[in-house]
Amino acid sequence: MPAGSEGLLLRSSKHLQDQTVDGVLSSHEGGQGREKGGQPRSPSSSPLAYGVLDIPPWYLCIFLGVQHFLTALGGLVAVPLILAKDLCLQHDPLTQSYLISTMFFVSGICTLLQVFLGVRLPILQGGTFAFVAPSVAMLSLPTWKCPTWTLNASLVNTSSPEFTEEWQKRIRELQGAIMVASCVQMLVGFSGLIGFLMRFIGPLTVAPTIALVALPLFDTAGSDAGIHWGIAATTVFLIVLFSQYLKSIAVPVPVYGREKKCHTSKFYLFQVFPVLMGLCISWLLCFVLTVTNALPSVPTAYGYLARTDTKGNVLNQAPWFRLPYPGQWGRPTISLAGVFGIIAGVISSVVESVGDYYACARLVGAPPPPKHAINRGIGIEGLGCLLAGAWGTGNGTTSFSENVGALGITRVGSRMVIVAAGCVLLLMGIFGKIGAAFATIPTPVIGGMFLVMFGVITAVGISNLQYVDMNSSRNLFVFGFSIYCGLAVPSWVNKNPEKVHTGILQLDQVIQVLLTTGMFVGGLLGFLLDNTIPVPRTSSTPQGALG
């Protein structure tokens, strides 16, 4: 399951492992790998240019590290932009840029921790969509709904203490919930509980859980895209064109090698950067339409937010350098409702990451990760979530499967490349203008990206059903009932919050957050039904454990 969600726009992990890519790296290595220090190693059956322990030349590490950063960019930027509305920040792009920069910085720290102390595979860490749904559910409680005046751009003074307190108290509540929930993840990882729990979590639990991470976000994607459907449709068209129709087309690029010196080599540009290229071209289109006044200049007119000058002052206001630090938004606060909601996201994130570890090991030619390595990996991800909460990203961290897919494309499985990517993330987090640039992306362009990314996440969840017999009426019932209730129950609770009444305010809030988190409802039903409904004797489908 992709955390940044354009991962499935690449090829499947198995296909990436089997394919031979005449990429930009072949010109350096000639299809062979190199040992540490750049010395040639003996030919092997491995299709990798560099293995896990190999160290490519420093310039190649930097180039591929930047490439991994760009591959993960869509997911890293998307999470803060989604949360902006519920944090009352939809009219404050400067603060949005601070959240994006903080996400970059913390993701760099967590990536380095995972490579050196965690599962020790070349796997990038970043924000997780699994935390978005419970975060939105918590911020939808009456206590945390944004005041009406924050929804009107003309009434918002982003520098006023009143406005600052409005959004900071919300993100502090998220911080506290994430930090407490991360302790649960560290306990599950470092205690070894993950191996025991995975015996009861099968595809019929995973499929509705992951599918319902993105399905409830259709309203967010539709609202942003609806700012200007023409621009949003163009963004969708470009991403689909690059990722599906042009992915096998190699583009010649200039390369300098020790043997051939200056020459050209093939690089699958469209396959590696479909989302980034789609965003940039749509962004440029909005700029052209803005300078030619083809887009309306009246704030209340349809399509006004597609203009690139509505947020143009952000680049001027943002500092060149800004170092994020723990507690930058104030001291975190804690509520039971937030903690239980984020714990539901933690469970989903853990399941995703275990799958990513196995896929990553397979692609880089390493043996399947042993249980103790998986335990360390999940524990370090919990530590990463703790750091994300302390720094105030408004989100946690998880493994990015789009970068796992990129390993198969580049044929470079070296951990040093991911170390370089982590350092690039740290630098991008400190360089304030970078976060500000992405905060100025026109709203309908973001909406178009969301339409594709959320659709892919849903498909990734449903794809887990390939491991079960869907000709079985039992399995059809478990999946269909789980995912339908995962949509119906949150919808009813959102419309009738007063019906959830036990007489204890804190308990009411916990129940409301959990029941309005679709992936919790669907995942819980899938788990209970899959582990209690008997498997027909004629079926060979394993019950419970992923196989």
Side-chain angles (χ1 to χ4, degrees):
M1 148 65 186
S5 76
E6 67 265 37
L8 198 68
L9 296 175
L10 308 176
R11 299 179 188 267
S12 67
S13 297
K14 178 62 179 173
H15 186 67
L16 285 171
Q17 181 188 16
D18 295 338
Q19 72 173 346
T20 301
V21 182
D22 182 18
V24 69
L25 299 174
S26 61
S27 60
H28 292 270
E29 282 65 59
Q32 308 300 325
R34 294 181 183 273
E35 297 287 357
K36 295 181 179 180
Q39 299 300 319
R41 59 176 171 158
S42 58
S44 67
S45 59
S46 172
L48 293 174
Y50 291 96
V52 176
L53 300 178
D54 296 338
I55 302 179
W58 64 269
Y59 58 88
L60 198 57
C61 284
I62 295 175
F63 172 79
L64 291 172
V66 172
Q67 177 174 279
H68 272 286
F69 165 72
L70 295 175
T71 302
L73 195 56
L76 292 169
V77 172
V79 173
L81 294 178
I82 293 173
L83 292 175
K85 181 178 180 181
D86 293 281
L87 290 171
C88 313
L89 290 173
Q90 64 268 49
H91 299 303
D92 187 3
L94 181 61
T95 301
Q96 293 178 31
S97 74
Y98 293 161
L99 290 178
I100 292 172
S101 296
T102 304
M103 178 69 78
F104 289 165
F105 188 81
V106 174
S107 297
I109 295 176
C110 296
T111 296
L112 297 178
L113 287 174
Q114 190 66 267
V115 172
F116 288 119
L117 302 177
V119 73
R120 296 177 184 173
L121 287 170
I123 192 164
L124 196 99
Q125 303 292 292
T128 170
F129 282 101
F131 284 17
V132 171
S135 298
V136 171
M138 187 196 77
L139 294 173
S140 298
L141 292 172
T143 307
W144 300 112
K145 283 189 176 180
C146 293
T148 305
W149 62 269
T150 64
L151 308 179
N152 190 333
S154 62
L155 298 178
V156 173
N157 179 6
T158 57
S159 60
S160 68
E162 182 183 9
F163 176 76
T164 301
E165 178 59 21
E166 280 295 335
W167 69 263
Q168 284 191 356
K169 68 183 182 182
R170 287 165 175 77
I171 199 167
R172 289 197 297 264
E173 187 74 5
L174 276 182
Q175 285 183 257
I178 291 169
M179 293 176 73
V180 174
S182 68
C183 296
V184 175
Q185 185 169 358
M186 285 191 287
L187 175 64
V188 169
F190 291 133
S191 68
L193 279 175
I194 182 63
F196 173 77
L197 295 175
M198 290 303 293
R199 292 191 298 170
F200 303 98
I201 301 176
L204 288 174
T205 301
V206 176
T209 301
I210 296 178
L212 287 165
V213 166
L215 275 177
L217 298 174
F218 72 91
D219 188 56
T220 298
S223 297
D224 288 345
I227 295 297
H228 194 296
W229 278 107
I231 298 297
T234 300
T235 305
V236 171
F237 169 77
L238 290 171
I239 295 175
V240 173
L241 176 68
F242 296 147
S243 66
Q244 303 302 320
Y245 293 97
L246 302 181
K247 62 185 177 183
S248 59
I249 295 179
V251 178
V253 295
V255 174
Y256 180 84
R258 294 181 180 178
E259 298 178 0
K260 296 183 180 180
K261 303 300 181 182
C262 293
H263 61 287
T264 60
S265 183
K266 296 177 181 179
F267 180 60
Y268 289 83
L269 180 69
F270 302 113
Q271 188 181 38
V272 178
F273 303 129
V275 175
L276 181 65
M277 292 179 63
L279 286 178
C280 290
I281 294 175
S282 295
W283 200 348
L284 179 61
L285 174 62
C286 289
F287 175 76
V288 172
L289 294 177
T290 299
V291 297
T292 58
N293 285 321
L295 292 171
S297 57
V298 180
T300 57
Y302 174 79
Y304 171 75
L305 291 180
R307 296 180 64 94
T308 55
D309 57 2
T310 59
K311 305 175 183 178
N313 60 341
V314 175
L315 281 173
N316 295 327
Q317 295 175 356
W320 281 99
F321 298 99
R322 178 181 178 274
L323 182 64
Y325 57 91
Q328 58 185 330
W329 317 129
R331 187 171 62 183
T333 57
I334 299 173
S335 69
L336 283 178
V339 169
F340 277 93
I342 298 297
I343 287 176
V346 163
I347 295 171
S348 175
S349 178
V350 166
V351 173
E352 299 165 20
S353 294
V354 172
D356 285 337
Y357 296 162
Y358 281 103
C360 181
R362 185 170 66 246
L363 285 174
V364 300
K371 287 185 178 180
H372 61 83
I374 292 176
N375 292 336
R376 281 200 318 267
I378 297 301
I380 290 297
E381 284 196 17
L383 177 60
C385 289
L386 181 66
L387 297 178
W391 256 266
T393 65
N395 195 248
T397 60
T398 191
S399 299
F400 264 31
S401 61
E402 59 263 48
N403 292 84
V404 174
L407 296 173
I409 294 173
T410 62
R411 294 188 294 142
V412 174
S414 171
R415 290 189 300 183
M416 290 307 298
V417 169
I418 302 299
V419 170
C423 294
V424 170
L425 281 166
L426 286 172
L427 290 175
M428 293 300 101
I430 296 173
F431 192 58
K433 296 291 186 183
I434 295 294
F438 288 105
T440 62
I441 300 176
T443 303
V445 176
I446 297 172
M449 178 184 70
F450 286 168
L451 288 174
V452 177
M453 295 175 73
F454 295 163
V456 170
I457 294 176
T458 303
V460 170
I462 296 174
S463 70
N464 284 276
L465 297 177
Q466 65 184 300
Y467 302 110
V468 298
D469 179 15
M470 292 311 290
N471 290 319
S472 165
S473 59
R474 170 196 181 272
N475 296 338
L476 285 173
F477 170 78
V478 172
F479 175 73
F481 181 73
S482 299
I483 201 165
Y484 198 79
C485 286
L487 293 171
V489 172
S491 176
W492 182 87
V493 175
N494 277 321
K495 294 177 181 178
N496 302 276
E498 73 283 353
K499 303 291 186 182
V500 181
H501 181 67
T502 63
I504 304 174
L505 178 60
Q506 291 80 3
L507 182 58
D508 290 346
Q509 291 179 339
V510 169
I511 294 174
Q512 187 169 341
V513 168
L514 292 178
L515 293 184
T516 53
T517 303
M519 67 179 190
F520 170 78
V521 176
L524 178 63
L525 288 174
F527 173 80
L528 293 175
L529 295 175
D530 191 31
N531 285 279
T532 56
I533 298 179
V535 179
R537 293 184 178 180
T538 56
S539 174
S540 59
T541 303
Q543 180 178 348
L546 283 168

